[in-house]
Amino acid sequence: TWESGKLFQNFKSVVYVQLRDPMIQLARVVEDLIPAESRDQAEKVMSTFRSYKGQDLLFVMDGWDELPTRLHTNSILQQLTAFPETLNLHLSTVIVTSRPIAS
């Protein structure tokens, strides 16, 4: 894992977003995706990320298949994956995981 120094070491920060989490599904702004003790702390973290335009930042969006379909096209999650420049995070990297649909 990243924490143990084995994967993705070219990133200074990794934000793991578990998409099945109901609180994540209610996210309206990218600060809602940051695990923090308070909203103020999340805003400070995102301010730092934005000052670098997301450089050296990895978002791991885990479980796209578990996300309600309506959020695939109209949510902060979709905005982060498709249009990070609108969030001033255009130098960040986003990895989206999903399981295949059973046939």
Side-chain angles (χ1 to χ4, degrees):
T1 65
W2 177 76
E3 290 175 337
S4 66
K6 295 182 181 176
L7 292 174
F8 303 115
Q9 292 306 294
N10 52 321
F11 297 100
K12 292 181 182 171
S13 300
V14 176
V15 178
Y16 175 74
V17 181
Q18 196 169 27
L19 297 175
R20 77 175 125 209
D21 182 333
M23 294 306 294
I24 293 297
Q25 294 178 12
L26 294 174
R28 297 288 178 241
V29 294
V30 74
E31 286 80 0
D32 294 337
L33 305 177
I34 303 301
E37 301 260 333
S38 68
R39 177 58 175 224
D40 187 52
Q41 185 182 25
E43 288 173 356
K44 286 178 184 175
V45 168
M46 281 311 304
S47 177
T48 300
F49 290 159
R50 285 188 173 113
S51 71
Y52 297 103
K53 297 178 176 58
Q55 185 172 352
D56 302 322
L57 172 62
L58 171 64
F59 284 94
V60 178
M61 312 288 268
D62 185 34
W64 191 259
D65 58 303
E66 299 179 59
L67 197 61
T69 305
R70 64 182 165 72
L71 296 178
H72 288 188
T73 57
N74 188 22
S75 69
I76 190 64
L77 303 167
Q78 185 268 342
Q79 188 177 2
L80 181 61
T81 57
F83 306 105
E85 66 278 359
T86 64
L87 302 169
N88 199 26
L89 293 170
H90 54 281
L91 298 178
S92 64
T93 299
V94 179
I95 294 176
V96 179
T97 70
S98 181
R99 292 177 294 186
I101 297 173
S103 54

